[in-house]
Amino acid sequence: MKNTLSAAVALPTVIAIALGGLLMAAPAASAAPAPVEQSEGGAVPVEETAPVTSPTPTPTSEPEPAADQPEAVVDEAEAPAAPEDAAAPAPAVDETSADAVEAQAAFDVASPVEGQVLSSAGVRVVGTAPAGSQVEISSSDDTGVVVPVVDGAFDEPVSLPAQATAASNVITVRVVGADGADLGTVQRTVVVAGLPTSAAPVISTPVDGSAVEGVPFESGDLETGVVDLAGTGTPGASIEVGLDAVDPVVAWGYGYDAVVVGADGTWADWVFMPYGTWRISVSQSAQDADGFATALSSRAVSVVVDVLRPRAAAAAAPVVTSPGQGSTVVGRPDPSQGAGASSLEFTITGTGTPGSAIAIYGYFEEGRAPIDRYAAAARGEGDGEGDFEPLVAGTDPVVVAADGTWSFTQTLARPGTYSFAAFALTGDRYFPTMSAPSEVVTFTLAAPAAGTATATPASLAFTGDDGVGSALAGGVLAIGLGAAALTVVRRRARRVSDAAAGSARRA
């Protein structure tokens, strides 16, 4: 009985569902299932059946409702609602939308115009672009630059090659939107007219071949000096400065901004470089307000100068108090290793400017004439053709004490009559300023009597050897502070006061 009832109920239910779907003309997949009859004992299970394919209805066939089901009334104008979780299809992209057209219209290049002839080697690229986009500008000889868009506009100076003959250049402008879309590219051909060559400037300071003092200027681990430059040129032109080391040869660059020639035709600048001999070169060119060249660079003009350490104020000439003029001094045998049997040492004393160093020039046996010539050369006097050998402080200088006195021991290879003068040195040890000489002292150095014992003062040791005396006979001995041999440098007499330090450097 239970099975018969189930079959009786299932068949009309299936038919009602099929007919209702056809009348409603709605998707069958979205219709709710028909309710299942309930028995007194609970839900009656419905046997699974194969899917039923409903035949396509014809206009003349009207389905009749089931005997025990009410006739379904369907409003054909009313469509069933779609499920809430059904995804809506994406709208198609319209490449000719109003936004795209507006973006294209907002990109424009106002400058340069096609075929524009430029009087300077450059042009300003000006235009408009959508906010948030970026503008890429390049020229024939350049890889390009990305410029910002400000308030819907861009403006960028682009330099072009400067040549003596006219040349064409292509300017390319590409705009990329904020979303990465390519908004377009514009190319403009411009012509840079042939530019004239600037006249060469003039260097008036320093003078070629001169020696100048460089104001100390520390730069890294190099001691450098500042030198002032000045000259004349074309008003409004730019002066470019170049530096080349001559002696010693060192790598050195100069990268300061160009100086502009004033309305009166004069210019001034300063440079710094390590102390030594340098070639300073200048050239001039012309630019417009945008920095584009309007005239080619001139030929370079140059001067060669010695850049010296600043010279200290000269000390007063020292005074020799011993040995006295025309006196005889009994020497002491030199006990130092290597000294010859006839070598004699003696003591020199004197007074001078506290803090200055003392150097001796001379020990000539032929009298004071060589000393007088040397003193005249040191003062820049004489015929201008003599050689000047500036004294240089040794490694163990004798310095005038605070009470103004000085003293040290000297050694000569053999007894005899000698002349010498003392000089005071101030400033740098290797580039000093020399004082005027002391009065020339001529004295006789005598050997001690046989069997006479002499005390050896514990002073500076002699650094010579047995051959020193013969080598110095009739020559020049520059003894540097502590009996050390002084370095000498040749220099023309008339340039002593300005270039002594630079000469010592080139020795």
Side-chain angles (χ1 to χ4, degrees):
M1 181 66 180
K2 193 171 186 177
N3 292 336
T4 303
L5 178 61
S6 299
V9 173
L11 181 58
T13 301
V14 172
I15 295 174
I17 293 173
L19 293 176
L22 291 174
L23 293 174
M24 295 174 63
S30 63
V36 180
E37 273 190 40
Q38 303 289 325
S39 66
E40 294 179 359
V44 179
V46 179
E47 293 181 358
E48 294 182 2
T49 61
V52 177
T53 303
S54 301
T56 303
T58 62
T60 58
S61 62
E62 284 290 332
E64 295 183 1
D68 53 354
Q69 292 290 337
E71 184 176 353
V73 179
V74 179
D75 185 1
E76 295 182 359
E78 185 178 53
E84 293 181 358
D85 57 350
V93 178
D94 184 4
E95 296 182 354
T96 61
S97 65
D99 291 342
V101 173
E102 182 180 356
Q104 292 283 354
F107 169 35
D108 180 53
V109 177
S111 172
V113 298
E114 179 65 23
Q116 182 175 346
V117 178
L118 309 173
S119 60
S120 59
V123 65
R124 297 196 74 91
V125 179
V126 181
T128 57
S133 61
Q134 66 179 20
V135 179
E136 301 172 359
I137 302 176
S138 61
S139 61
S140 303
D141 71 320
D142 192 10
T143 56
V145 62
V146 177
V147 301
V149 175
V150 180
D151 295 332
F154 58 90
D155 185 347
E156 181 72 11
V158 176
S159 295
L160 299 172
Q163 301 177 168
T165 57
S168 296
N169 295 268
V170 177
I171 304 296
T172 302
V173 182
R174 176 173 177 260
V175 176
V176 178
D179 58 355
D182 190 342
L183 300 185
T185 299
V186 172
Q187 287 189 327
R188 300 283 169 79
T189 299
V190 296
V191 178
V192 177
L195 303 182
T197 300
S198 300
V202 174
I203 302 176
S204 55
T205 302
V207 177
D208 185 39
S210 64
V212 296
E213 294 182 4
V215 179
F217 184 90
E218 293 298 326
S219 175
D221 58 355
L222 295 173
E223 292 186 44
T224 58
V226 175
V227 175
D228 290 327
L229 306 178
T232 58
T234 303
S238 298
I239 300 295
E240 298 285 347
V241 180
L243 301 175
D244 295 296
V246 177
D247 182 25
V249 176
V250 296
W252 191 253
Y254 180 82
Y256 288 107
D257 294 335
V259 61
V260 177
V261 181
D264 61 353
T266 64
W267 60 269
D269 197 7
W270 60 270
V271 293
F272 68 95
M273 68 284 283
Y275 296 110
T277 302
W278 288 83
R279 176 177 288 104
I280 303 174
S281 303
V282 300
S283 60
Q284 75 175 352
S285 58
Q287 295 83 29
D288 61 15
D290 290 316
F292 303 144
T294 57
L296 301 178
S297 181
S298 72
R299 66 177 179 84
V301 296
S302 62
V303 295
V304 176
V305 297
D306 289 335
V307 181
L308 313 177
R309 288 175 173 79
R311 295 170 58 83
V319 175
V320 177
T321 57
S322 176
Q325 175 66 30
S327 65
T328 297
V329 176
V330 178
R332 305 175 295 273
D334 187 349
S336 61
Q337 183 178 4
S342 60
S343 296
L344 299 174
E345 64 179 15
F346 60 100
T347 301
I348 301 178
T349 61
T351 59
T353 302
S356 61
I358 299 299
I360 300 298
Y361 179 84
Y363 299 125
F364 296 101
E365 296 182 273
E366 64 266 30
R368 60 176 295 162
I371 311 297
D372 290 336
R373 288 195 298 270
Y374 180 81
R379 294 190 298 267
E381 300 173 356
D383 59 8
E385 298 300 328
D387 289 331
F388 171 64
E389 301 169 341
L391 303 179
V392 178
T395 57
D396 190 14
V398 171
V399 178
V400 179
D403 63 359
T405 62
W406 54 270
S407 173
F408 60 98
T409 298
Q410 300 277 266
T411 295
L412 293 176
R414 60 177 180 270
T417 298
Y418 300 95
S419 298
F420 72 92
F423 290 80
L425 309 179
T426 53
D428 189 275
R429 173 181 295 180
Y430 301 103
F431 299 88
T433 299
M434 290 176 54
S435 72
S438 67
E439 290 293 331
V440 176
V441 175
T442 300
F443 74 105
T444 300
L445 179 62
T452 301
T454 56
T456 301
S459 58
L460 302 177
F462 174 63
T463 59
D465 56 32
D466 287 342
V468 171
S470 60
L472 295 178
V476 176
L477 173 62
I479 298 180
L481 314 183
L486 299 180
T487 60
V488 295
V489 183
R490 295 195 171 276
R491 191 76 177 177
R492 292 176 62 87
R494 289 194 181 277
R495 295 177 58 187
V496 166
S497 60
D498 291 333
S503 301
R505 173 179 44 69
R506 289 198 296 269

